[in-house]
Amino acid sequence: MQVPQIALLLVQLAVMASQALEMGYYAATCPDAEAIVRQTMERQHYNDPTLAPAIIRMLFHDCFVRGCDASVMIVPTRTRSSERVAIPNQTLRGFNAVDAIKRALESACPRTVSCADALALMARDAVALLGGNPYDVPLGRRDGLQSNPWEVDLPPPFARLDDALRAFAARGFSSEETVVLFGAHTVGGAHCSSFRSRLTNPDGIMDERLRCDMLDTCGAADLPLDKDPVPFLDPDTPFVVDNNYYAQLMSNKTLLQVDQEAATHHATAAHVAYYAASPDAFMQRFSEVMAKLSNVGVLEGDAGEVRKVCSKYNTD
Ligand code: HEM
Ligand SMILES: *[C@@H]1O[C@H](CO)[C@@H](O)[C@H](O)[C@H]1NC(C)=O
Ligand SMILES: CC(=O)N[C@H]1CO[C@H](CO)[C@@H](O)[C@@H]1O
């Protein structure tokens, strides 16, 4: 190879490297970024323990649609719709916490830390605040310039597991990794609307005692979202990342239909049984797969922008 070609190759490699997510990405431009996120998350967590689960879910909804680019945060305007108009968004929470953290980041280092990086860090801190294992989050994500309701193709709670597994495979997740991510349902709650049909039309699987309890809590009739009760997904330890979820699946005591199917499906049953029996393995894999989730389809380098306010593009 001729010298100029080698030089060109080296330049290309350097460009590629500079565009990959990296640890310490803000070391020079915003050295306190991670500490600011962590401290704000801690403060908010002590006021409202339901925030951390909501942030973990927000990361999932962001990363599965157009990649982890903060597209989930855009508020629709009169002239432009956004992902937040789509059905699954309607139970997302935690946007105020994102705004508060972004304000703190902006006052320390204006126009530097992307909303996508802020959410990835918030989710990591949420996992730790709920007792999960810490994990590294390489940074350098950019915020997207698109957010379209018609692109929100998240599986619904009554999806067939095969369809859900396909949706996860399309983003690079194996069946095992999908089972591990489902373990996030060891924290937080679900509106009755996401499982009421299992109460009123018994599927013969849901534990009868749980079904009767939930029928008491939820009622048989549909309610508007703001009136609909939100039982915990894991009522024993709703704010602890642990492997309880898998034992609940195996004893038919889980709320969401798609989760329940994982206990018996040929591609997932063995993983469910393994994680039900192996708490340490679950804790470790959960953090690893959350880290992987945080990197799905990220924008890097000069792509997109660094939003000033997470709910709006910098220019309309
Ligand atoms: C097939 C895949 C999935 C389906 C169908 C699904 C569905 C749901 C539904 C219906 C709820 C209740 C929302 C509400 O009514 O407020 C929920 C809650 C939740 N989901 Fe999932 N989910 C899936 C995968 C995931 C993944 C991969 C994660 C994260 C890694 C996740 C994290 C959460 C968390 C933490 C909550 C509790 C949220 C809160 O307390 O506000 N879910 N999910
Ligand atoms: C769960 O439900 C299935 C299907 O009805 C049944 O075969 C199984 O025995 C149940 N398991 C437990 C632990 O109740
Ligand atoms: C949390 C959130 O932004 N929810 C929105 C989801 O979409 C509906 C319908 O457009 C809005 O009314 C909600 O505000």
Side-chain angles (χ1 to χ4, degrees):
M1 208 188 284
Q2 312 244 310
V3 171
Q5 281 177 316
I6 295 174
L8 186 63
L9 182 68
L10 288 178
V11 169
Q12 283 170 342
L13 285 174
V15 169
M16 281 165 61
S18 76
Q19 291 189 346
L21 299 182
E22 53 182 306
M23 298 303 294
Y25 181 83
Y26 297 113
T29 54
C30 196
D32 292 335
E34 296 196 31
I36 291 168
V37 174
R38 190 175 57 247
Q39 283 155 14
T40 319
M41 274 302 284
E42 277 169 8
R43 205 166 340 109
Q44 304 231 7
H45 177 68
Y46 293 114
N47 291 332
D48 176 9
T50 73
L51 173 67
I55 294 298
I56 294 171
R57 180 164 186 245
M58 193 189 295
L59 183 81
F60 165 52
H61 283 226
D62 186 29
C63 296
F64 257 52
V65 184
R66 300 193 73 86
C68 312
D69 66 346
S71 55
V72 74
M73 299 173 196
I74 294 290
V75 165
T77 63
R78 206 165 38 78
T79 50
R80 237 178 133 177
S81 192
S82 90
E83 289 172 21
R84 278 168 73 169
V85 170
I87 299 282
N89 90 85
Q90 299 184 11
T91 49
L92 285 178
R93 301 178 302 112
F95 293 106
N96 292 342
V98 174
D99 289 341
I101 280 174
K102 179 62 171 171
R103 273 196 303 277
L105 289 168
E106 285 297 296
S107 65
C109 349
R111 302 295 276 270
T112 304
V113 181
S114 66
C115 296
D117 274 348
L119 179 59
L121 290 171
M122 289 173 74
R124 182 266 299 271
D125 294 339
V127 169
L129 286 165
L130 298 168
N133 291 358
Y135 57 91
D136 286 337
V137 176
L139 299 170
R141 292 166 194 73
R142 306 267 295 176
D143 297 328
L145 299 171
Q146 297 283 325
S147 174
N148 303 313
W150 59 87
E151 289 182 317
V152 178
D153 57 350
L154 294 160
F158 42 82
R160 301 312 308 181
L161 185 60
D162 272 327
D163 293 329
L165 290 173
R166 261 194 293 278
F168 280 76
R171 276 88 168 174
F173 293 90
S174 67
S175 308
E176 183 265 344
E177 289 170 328
T178 304
V179 166
V180 169
L181 281 182
F182 277 23
H185 290 162
T186 179
V187 293
H191 287 78
C192 294
S193 59
S194 56
F195 59 87
R196 190 178 274 104
S197 63
R198 297 188 72 204
L199 310 176
T200 52
N201 304 311
D203 55 15
I205 300 173
M206 185 188 264
D207 178 79
E208 191 55 17
R209 174 102 169 260
L210 176 66
R211 191 181 73 82
C212 294
D213 286 353
M214 284 297 133
L215 205 48
D216 274 355
T217 305
C218 294
D222 290 343
L223 292 168
L225 264 191
D226 59 338
K227 301 265 171 4
D228 204 27
V230 185
F232 292 130
L233 286 158
D234 168 5
D236 298 327
T237 49
F239 300 116
V240 182
V241 171
D242 59 22
N243 69 333
N244 266 5
Y245 162 86
Y246 300 103
Q248 281 151 2
L249 295 191
M250 293 182 72
S251 53
N252 296 339
K253 288 185 186 147
T254 203
L255 300 180
L256 305 183
Q257 179 187 302
V258 68
D259 286 6
Q260 185 58 64
E261 196 182 343
T264 48
H265 189 285
H266 65 88
T268 53
H271 302 301
V272 169
Y274 174 68
Y275 288 115
S278 321
D280 295 345
F282 168 68
M283 297 302 275
Q284 186 187 330
R285 282 299 282 150
F286 185 65
S287 289
E288 287 168 1
V289 187
M290 283 296 291
K292 178 170 175 173
L293 177 63
S294 321
N295 295 344
V296 170
V298 294
L299 299 175
E300 292 165 317
D302 293 331
E305 63 182 1
V306 172
R307 263 179 234 152
K308 196 165 146 49
V309 174
C310 291
S311 55
K312 307 197 277 201
Y313 305 112
N314 290 341
T315 49
D316 284 329

